Amino acid sequence: MIRKEDVVIRVAGESGDGSTATGEMLAQAAARSGLHVFTFRTTPAEIKGGPVMFQVRASNAPVRSMGDAVDVLFAFNREAWDLHHADLAANAVLLYDPEEFPLPDEFTGIAYPVPIGKIAQEVGNRRGKNVAALGVVAALFGLGLNKLEDIVRAKLGKKADLLESNLAALHAGINYAHQLEKRDPFWMESTGEHDRYVMTGNQAIIAGALHAGAEFFAGYPITPASDIMEGMAVMLPKIGGGYLQAEDEIAAIMACIGASYGGKRAMTATSGPGLSLMSEAIGYASMAEIPVVVVDAQRGGPSTGLPTKMEQSDLNIALYGGHGDSPRIVLAPASVAECFHLTVWAFNLAEEYQTPVIVLSDYSLSFRTETIEPFDLSKYPRVDRLRPNGSLAPKQYRRYEITANLISPMVAPGVAHAQYTATGLEHNEFGNPDYTPTNHAMMTEKRWGKLAPLQHSRAYVRRFGAERAKVGIICWGTTAGPCRGAVYLAGQEDLPVAMLQVQMLSPLPVDAINEFLEQVEIVLVPEVNFQGQFAKLLQAELGIKVHSMTKYTGMPFSRIEILRQIHALHGLAEPVLV
């Protein structure tokens, strides 16, 4: 058997036909058997019906993007073939249900007819066709075969009679695959079992918030952030925390600000439309210097836009959304693992600097599954807000005291001699309204100046690739994954490329970026939005010229798309995808 070290399998069908569940269980089985896994899914925006797709990339080496082309397509119906055959690799394999459609004349690769409905019906229940499909794929390509029963029990074991029929369908699918004459080269048996987590980005954000000591969550349902709200609703009450499903996003963030004012570490989660509604409240948290964490799981926009597709198009509103000069910290994770540790950072930064912190996730990252190494929790200490040192004298507490580092001691309500007004009006050091020009200038400089040290930190960037290169990539968020893949592919061609992933977008870590700029000649900035928002930010802040590369299809970049641009900037022919 020829072993392929990296394979991309896509299961596609209609919402409600079980094709997504097939992909989810396949990913879990592959991950639990020791393979590295990276998933991607699309779902329709309609409540019922519409095409769906679940893609699993599995490898014995770490993977950081969804892959460049599909090696195996399991099309549950004709529409799935129509929508996805253009993404097939040159030597791809097609699995199709002959009861749904015949083998397409235009397909010239290796095809296996798999009548999944009939396979499941023969052992009791036609509805088990998605489990039969799972058995066929796992047995045919070696993906987590020894873990399948455990996965089916965990996913579908709530009713004993249905579990029995599903397990029968699973084994019928395995047996069917064993009877096929295998004519393809794909076999992904793991080289060994490993102790790894299998998580989605939303699950990692929940874990990060809980580790950081989150005590209160308020939210309003919105795709793709609802999973965070639902997870916090389950977990927070178990540890004595508070949870509120508010009537809208404005109420949600104001509840979080109120909880934080009361001394609790608070978070909300939303998407672009909700972040728009929260803008005034974020400005209030900036003015009153109240810590709060806001997760924005970006989706395509504007307006209701593309509720079930990804974009990196909320950068501008995250940076500038709000009236007046409204400082905030903005972070952007690139992977499931970074969802955990940047969420911890978000709470610590919010508490340390007494400011709102926005975490920019996206639809792809919210729902995709990755295998990640266990976290060393000792590396994630908890940072608390500054408190007054010692007892306070009557009428002497200066909530907004101008200290050496411009961060003022903050007390919770009820502390003796420490009453103050956390007003959205401009105020003096005691918190009393004060509109004089001198005071407004002083307090504006305080609110912005306390964040200035972050511009000089090198803790919020990641550097990859060649030490010096003609082309240097600067990127943020989930685009960092395919960029790292492109840097690796370029290295395989002896084409040195450098890369800087920026994890903190405000304040921008200008010292680290300037250092990187000295090591490259041409700067390429790929991002998933139309305007090139990050490219314009770099040009405005640093006065440099960059090559902006944008994509706005609702889909993430692939490695090969980035590599093509690298070749173009070097004056080379297009790379050949093998």
Side-chain angles (χ1 to χ4, degrees), residues 84-265:
H84 301 289
H85 73 271
D87 296 331
L88 293 175
N91 59 341
V93 174
L94 172 66
L95 282 67
Y96 68 101
D97 188 340
E99 293 186 319
E100 292 289 335
F101 67 102
L103 178 65
D105 294 335
E106 62 268 37
F107 182 70
T108 58
I110 300 167
Y112 299 106
V114 185
I116 49 177
K118 182 179 178 182
I119 293 170
Q121 188 172 26
E122 287 177 352
V123 293
N125 189 347
R126 192 176 185 88
R127 290 180 61 189
K129 68 177 187 177
N130 61 325
V131 185
L134 172 67
V136 171
V137 175
L140 197 56
F141 304 110
L143 279 162
L145 194 58
N146 60 333
K147 301 292 182 180
L148 293 183
E149 276 204 17
D150 293 341
I151 300 299
V152 173
R153 289 180 189 277
K155 180 80 172 176
L156 305 170
K158 294 181 180 179
K159 295 183 179 180
D161 55 337
L162 290 179
L163 175 61
E164 185 177 341
S165 65
N166 279 317
L167 289 175
L170 173 69
H171 289 288
I174 293 171
N175 292 334
Y176 182 87
H178 286 160
Q179 295 168 18
L180 292 171
E181 178 190 353
K182 187 169 173 65
R183 294 173 282 115
D184 66 87
F186 302 122
W187 187 256
M188 282 300 303
E189 185 176 354
S190 172
T191 55
E193 294 197 16
H194 304 274
D195 183 19
R196 298 191 184 107
Y197 296 147
V198 184
M199 306 178 78
T200 66
N202 281 346
Q203 289 170 340
I205 287 171
I206 295 167
L210 295 173
H211 177 72
E215 299 165 286
F216 181 79
F217 181 96
Y220 183 78
I222 186 170
T223 302
S226 295
D227 282 1
I228 300 172
M229 184 186 75
E230 292 163 6
M232 295 297 279
V234 172
M235 298 304 298
L236 270 179
K238 294 180 179 179
I239 59 173
Y243 166 82
L244 172 68
Q245 180 172 325
E247 65 266 32
D248 56 35
E249 289 87 351
I250 299 172
I253 191 168
M254 290 306 296
C256 289
I257 291 171
S260 182
Y261 170 75
K264 303 297 184 181
R265 297 161 80 92

Side-chain angles (χ1 to χ4, degrees), residues 307-327:
T308 59
K309 298 292 188 291
M310 71 87 69
E311 273 188 4
Q312 294 178 286
S313 51
D314 288 353
L315 178 59
N316 281 345
I317 190 172
L319 296 175
Y320 311 120
H323 53 280
D325 292 313
S326 176

Side-chain angles (χ1 to χ4, degrees), residues 285-507:
S286 294
M287 172 64 84
E289 300 190 46
I290 296 176
V292 66
V293 175
V294 180
V295 176
D296 173 21
Q298 301 168 94
R299 65 194 207 185
S303 188
T304 311
L306 305 171
T308 59
K309 298 292 188 291
M310 71 87 69
E311 273 188 4
Q312 294 178 286
S313 51
D314 288 353
L315 178 59
N316 281 345
I317 190 172
L319 296 175
Y320 311 120
H323 53 280
D325 292 313
S326 176
R328 75 281 306 271
I329 294 171
V330 180
L331 305 174
S335 66
V336 170
E338 287 186 13
C339 281
F340 175 85
H341 72 247
L342 263 67
T343 301
V344 177
W345 288 2
F347 275 92
N348 286 343
L349 289 165
E351 294 290 316
E352 180 177 359
Y353 291 95
Q354 299 174 22
T355 194
V357 177
I358 300 174
V359 180
L360 288 176
S361 175
D362 64 46
Y363 183 90
S364 168
L365 187 52
S366 294
F367 294 129
R368 81 176 182 222
T369 302
E370 287 184 42
T371 43
I372 56 179
E373 299 300 323
F375 303 116
D376 180 356
L377 297 181
S378 66
K379 295 181 178 179
Y380 301 91
R382 171 172 167 158
V383 177
D384 289 311
R385 64 188 66 172
L386 182 66
R387 303 289 190 182
N389 184 17
S391 59
L392 298 169
K395 299 183 179 180
Q396 295 301 307
Y397 175 54
R398 300 182 180 222
R399 166 63 187 98
Y400 302 102
E401 180 183 357
I402 305 297
T403 62
N405 64 0
L406 304 178
I407 298 171
S408 313
M410 182 179 184
V411 300
V415 175
H417 309 307
Q419 294 81 12
Y420 74 97
T421 302
T423 177
L425 294 169
E426 187 57 281
H427 46 262
N428 61 20
E429 290 182 90
F430 290 96
N432 301 322
D434 186 334
Y435 314 139
T436 61
T438 300
N439 181 76
H440 178 53
M442 179 178 68
M443 284 298 168
T444 299
E445 291 165 6
K446 173 192 188 303
R447 291 187 289 269
W448 284 93
K450 67 183 179 181
L451 304 182
L454 294 171
Q455 293 182 303
H456 309 298
S457 173
R458 287 170 172 76
Y460 305 103
V461 299
R462 301 183 71 195
R463 175 73 158 75
F464 305 98
E467 288 299 316
R468 293 194 171 273
K470 180 176 181 178
V471 173
I473 301 172
I474 304 181
C475 59
W476 67 281
T478 50
T479 296
C483 285
R484 286 185 67 180
V487 169
Y488 170 78
L489 293 176
Q492 297 294 100
E493 301 176 1
D494 293 324
L495 194 63
V497 178
M499 173 185 152
L500 189 73
Q501 175 199 344
V502 181
Q503 296 173 306
M504 179 177 284
L505 305 172
S506 178

